[in-house]
Amino acid sequence: MKIVVLVKHVPDAAADRTFHEADHTTDRVGVDGILSELDEYAVEEALKLAGSESGEVIALTMGPEGSADAIKRALQMGADSGVHVVDDALHGSDALATSHVLAEAIGKIGEVDLVLTGMASTDGGMSVVPAMLAERLGFAHIGFVGEMSVDGGTVRARRDSDVTETVEAATPAIVSVTDQINEPRYPSFKGIMAAKKKPVESWSLADLGVAAEQVGLDAAWSQVQSVTKRPERTQGEVVTDDGDGGIKLAEFLASRKFI
Amino acid sequence: MTALNPLQLLGVDHLLDDEEKAIQETVRRFVDDQVRPHVAEWYEHELDADTVRQLAREAGKLGLLGMHLEGYGCAGTNAVSYGLACLELEAGDSGVRSLVSVQGSLAMFAIWKFGSEEQKQRWLPGMASGELIGCFGLTEPDFGSNPSAMRTRARRDGSDWVLDGTKMWITNGTVSDVAIVWAQTDDGIRGFVVPTDTPGFSAPSISKKLSLRASVTSELVLDGVRLPADAVLPEASGLRGPLSCLNEARFGIVFGAVGAARDCLHATLEYARDREVFGKPLSSFQLTQAKLADMTLELQKGFLLAMHLGRLKDDERLDPRQVSMGKLNNVREALGIARECRTILAASGITLEYPVLRHANNLESVLTYEGTSEIHQLVIGQALTGESAFA
Ligand SMILES: Cc1cc2nc3c(=O)[nH]c(=O)nc-3n(C[C@H](O)[C@H](O)[C@H](O)COP(=O)(O)OP(=O)(O)OC[C@H]3O[C@@H](n4cnc5c(N)ncnc54)[C@H](O)[C@@H]3O)c2cc1C
């Protein structure tokens, strides 16, 4: 079984996030980046599935130079190899362009049984790439999966969205997994040391036969006009209990439409 | 957040390569997930055997146990990585670092360095995975700093060995599957690999400790323990054997102490920022800042010293006297930092809500084991003057 895991390198959420002044894209260069935490669940699931069926796990990312770190992390966890799509023309690509490029990359990898992704990236948080990718590749798509297994050519998965349902699909399929599906492993020291020797290929747009005009900021269907910092958090409201604390709490929650 | 990391002012991260950083980061996460949430509880009620076993298995999965040894299921990292792992473990708790040090650098190292091929095959893979726990029995009730006078004796009976004596203050003793026991023989001091289920062996734990409570400390009682001829470590004879093991573990402590101090300073910086006295944040007073600045300086100097020794070790140029300098300085300074931090936290500082007094209490043990500060002063003094002042 050949599994591609999509991994994304995102700015560390613990650090301050900034945007480029000129085009309002996320600054991915000046900040420390990490493998999107939600993608770790996808890597873990891929390793588990591959482990039980002696499969192969390939980590795929698209992003600037530094994003190879996301691949490295996946390799340290145990993935077999990596593919990094990197090209200056990709700067500012939207989800449509991203799915186009990734679809071509998966096509070039070839003979893929399963594509696993996190349920969203921890920076953009759009959750649309897996569905777009499925459409482009003609794969079945199961989103927000909290439990899954693969038997022969059939994926069985529990979707946890508004309702919980168990569905089946024939491979090749794209599955996006939630943070409920497993507990991602720490990379072991042996894994960390072995990662150095694992192959990572670097592909440009030309390698994928994608024209530069089809991707990047200029080709994006939406454009960010301006960026405003989220206002500082306010102090919060202290409810003093004079015997009616419960009522006040309930009133507060109702006023915010929580109950 | 960056302004809060007291190890980053000197940019010491640049001294590490990617692999070393990844290992350090992994251990930090392990400590955050598996140690920090429980450590106050372990300290308050002392660590039980099941928890130690569980912790050892988790550490084994990561590759922490015997991580700097080659082969037999060990990860085979460099010495700096091992040091960084000790640093992160001890930022959690010196007791947890002790578990790993004793297992990897004392018990496993003794077998790895001085054992026969059969001994290595039999014990090392299980110890690397954390399924088997080991301890190292050198100290006796009457002989700590002067182990050469030990009374534990191994006499030959036919081809067998029979061991009698008592060891004291032995980390992991009660929970061990195998004990490395050092004993006098007709040919000087020898090391023995003792399965702890051998008749005549017992390891009652020492309670009522005020330090290193998240670590098991025990007595080893050897009452006519009969072992086959091949239980002796073939390649070790004389005190050089155990001392070279101690040197390995001590190296880890040079880094570990920095971790405990960093954790104290971290907690203290946060506390000083949030705590208001006389209508202003505690961190805005000059006296507080002077303390914070001085502690940060010592912390970073300690880290640089540790890194220097680490690079020497990876170059196979590390001299035991250099390790003495590292241990003497870094543990002493870490203890000083922990106590100074406690003054900034004041009353809050005496509780288990905050790590500072726990670290300070732990570091009292660290100051004593693996060679007391005084012994290391004597080692350095002898190197400087050519005169031995031990006896
Ligand atoms: C929590 C804990 C865990 C331990 N784990 C282990 C373990 O796993 N295995 C093991 O074998 N041991 C272990 N030890 C024992 C430790 O190594 C000894 O406690 C240490 O070597 C000191 O011995 P002592 O306590 O007998 O002190 P002593 O040797 O009695 O020393 C008393 C004081 O005299 C000083 N002193 C001694 N000799 C001289 C001298 N020549 N000149 C000047 N001053 C001197 C010492 O520095 C000290 O201040 C552990 C100890 C502790 C506290």
Side-chain angles (χ1 to χ4, degrees), chain A residues 14-15 40 69 72-73 76 183-190 192-193 196, chain B residues 18-19 22-23 26-27 29-30 33-34 61-64 67 73-75:
Chain A
E40 287 190 11
D69 281 356
K72 197 191 286 170
R73 180 79 181 178
Q76 289 173 344
E183 194 54 56
R185 68 194 66 187
Y186 312 103
S188 74
F189 298 166
K190 281 185 199 160
I192 289 172
M193 293 194 298
K196 272 197 306 219
Chain B
D18 282 354
E19 195 172 291
I23 288 177
T26 299
V27 183
R29 272 178 58 175
F30 169 78
D33 294 350
Q34 318 233 5
K61 257 193 242 161
L62 225 60
L64 268 167
M67 63 184 275
C74 303

Side-chain angles (χ1 to χ4, degrees), chain B residues 92-260:
Chain B
D93 191 84
S94 304
V96 176
R97 200 267 306 133
S98 299
L99 167 71
V100 172
S101 291
V102 168
Q103 174 89 348
S105 281
L106 294 180
M108 290 175 74
F109 182 80
I111 297 172
W112 184 82
K113 175 101 179 164
F114 303 117
S116 65
E117 188 54 36
E118 295 72 49
Q119 288 167 336
K120 292 178 196 181
Q121 300 280 4
R122 171 161 179 208
W123 297 106
L124 291 179
M127 293 174 85
S129 72
E131 287 305 316
L132 300 174
I133 295 180
C135 68
F136 183 87
L138 178 66
T139 306
E140 299 188 354
D142 293 330
F143 302 96
S145 302
N146 179 22
S148 61
M150 68 173 66
R151 290 212 188 96
T152 298
R153 218 182 140 74
R155 64 184 163 79
R156 287 226 91 136
D157 184 30
S159 68
D160 288 353
W161 291 96
V162 179
L163 271 63
D164 285 287
T166 308
K167 297 288 175 184
M168 192 68 180
W169 311 114
I170 306 307
T171 303
N172 298 353
T174 311
V175 294
S176 282
D177 302 285
V178 58
I180 306 301
V181 174
W182 301 93
Q184 302 278 9
T185 71
D186 290 342
D187 305 323
I189 290 171
R190 302 296 304 263
F192 295 85
V193 184
V194 185
T196 55
D197 57 4
T198 311
F201 182 97
S202 59
S205 90
I206 298 170
S207 58
K208 303 201 172 115
K209 290 183 298 177
L210 292 174
S211 172
L212 232 56
R213 290 172 59 86
S215 167
V216 174
T217 316
S218 323
E219 199 181 333
L220 305 185
V221 181
L222 302 133
D223 184 7
V225 173
R226 180 174 289 274
L227 300 168
D230 62 5
V232 71
L233 290 170
E235 306 298 333
S237 69
L239 209 54
R240 281 239 316 283
L243 293 191
S244 69
C245 301
L246 290 173
N247 220 37
E248 287 294 304
R250 226 169 253 157
F251 169 80
I253 293 174
V254 178
F255 277 87
V258 177

Side-chain angles (χ1 to χ4, degrees), chain A residues 1 6-7 54 62 69-70 85 142 147 169 183 193 206 233 251:
Chain A
M1 183 164 53
L6 301 187
V7 293
S54 69
M62 169 188 129
D69 281 356
V85 182
I142 313 177
E147 192 183 337
E183 194 54 56
M193 293 194 298
R233 282 216 183 118
E251 278 171 355

